[in-house]
Amino acid sequence: TFPKGMPPFVTTTASSSITTSDTDDVYDVVVCGGTLGILVATALQTRGHKCAVIERGPLRGRQQEWNVSRKELAELVKLGILTQEDLEPIISIEFNPVRCAFHDAGESVLVNDILNLGVSPAELLIRVRRRFESAGGTVLEHTALEGIEVHPDAAVCKIANSDDVKARLVLDCMGFGSPAVRQARGADARPDGVCLVVGSCASGFDPAKNTSGD
């Protein structure tokens, strides 16, 4: 439930159908939230599903790097989200080993090939979006999602100041702040847990010596 006076974001209508014999305007999948959702949408689109991505702002990656491993990037290639040629241009830095330690917990542990790549989200999303759209996918950016109506045969994504978007499946990739998640949790309920990510930015290190991570 939402706070008093605020309508629910997701509603269900059991009696009325919305599709007709002409299904050109109905997507197989609509993904709400594009920064991560474009990855899922691309995997589905390249497998023949008609997909759209709804993003309230511009669909672009942030400048701060994401840390992954080569094994994880290889999975994106296997799923058809990236090509092998896409990998090197999106990798900003590679380092080994990575030191793992807990405060007052004794000896540090050194690991290799785990979260040891810095990947540019901005470059990543440029390439994933290009692959998604070349496969026939639709990106609806600067598009505010106002609610979702669930019908027996499809769902209707209600768009501010624009036509509705219909889909047989809607995927919520809007994160912990998603109004659909908030409704499912309850208006006053807090998340079960929080993952705190702490990082820093620094410069001026000798590249020849700056080969490991913490």
Side-chain angles (χ1 to χ4, degrees):
T1 57
F2 269 17
K4 186 177 181 180
M6 183 180 294
F9 187 78
V10 179
T11 58
T12 301
T13 302
S15 58
S16 61
S17 297
I18 61 169
T19 59
T20 65
S21 57
D22 182 6
T23 58
D24 289 343
D25 64 340
V26 180
Y27 291 95
D28 295 319
V29 183
V30 165
V31 180
C32 304
T35 303
L36 292 177
I38 188 71
L39 303 176
V40 178
T42 302
L44 294 172
Q45 184 72 37
T46 56
R47 282 162 172 72
H49 303 288
K50 181 181 178 182
C51 301
V53 173
I54 297 175
E55 171 57 48
R56 67 179 177 181
L59 180 55
R60 64 187 179 197
R62 62 185 182 180
Q63 295 304 312
Q64 182 180 349
E65 293 174 350
W66 286 340
N67 289 113
V68 298
S69 68
R70 284 194 177 273
K71 182 178 180 181
E72 290 166 319
L73 287 181
E75 292 298 322
L76 298 184
V77 174
K78 186 186 301 184
L79 290 169
I81 298 170
L82 293 171
T83 66
Q84 193 66 38
E85 291 71 27
D86 288 323
L87 297 187
E88 294 309 318
I90 68 174
I91 298 173
S92 305
I93 189 171
E94 182 170 3
F95 45 89
N96 264 319
V98 177
R99 185 179 72 93
C100 300
F102 292 91
H103 181 62
D104 293 335
E107 187 176 348
S108 300
V109 177
L110 298 179
V111 297
N112 287 290
D113 303 324
I114 298 176
L115 298 180
N116 65 307
L117 300 181
V119 169
S120 166
E123 293 297 325
L124 172 66
L125 261 66
I126 288 172
R127 285 164 172 76
V128 174
R129 177 175 181 168
R130 184 185 303 147
R131 186 161 176 78
F132 176 65
E133 292 182 321
S134 67
T138 300
V139 174
L140 303 171
E141 56 188 345
H142 302 289
T143 301
L145 180 64
E146 293 190 325
I148 302 170
E149 293 179 355
V150 180
H151 294 255
D153 54 347
V156 178
C157 297
K158 310 297 289 185
I159 306 300
N161 304 315
S162 187
D163 295 334
D164 297 339
V165 178
K166 303 172 185 176
R168 293 181 176 82
L169 175 66
V170 176
L171 296 180
D172 180 4
C173 293
M174 294 183 284
F176 78 94
S178 161
V181 171
R182 185 181 178 190
Q183 178 181 336
R185 245 190 353 244
D188 300 320
R190 296 183 178 183
D192 294 331
V194 175
C195 177
L196 181 64
V197 179
V198 179
S200 62
C201 297
S203 61
F205 296 101
D206 181 355
K209 297 179 180 179
N210 188 29
T211 59
S212 61
D214 258 346

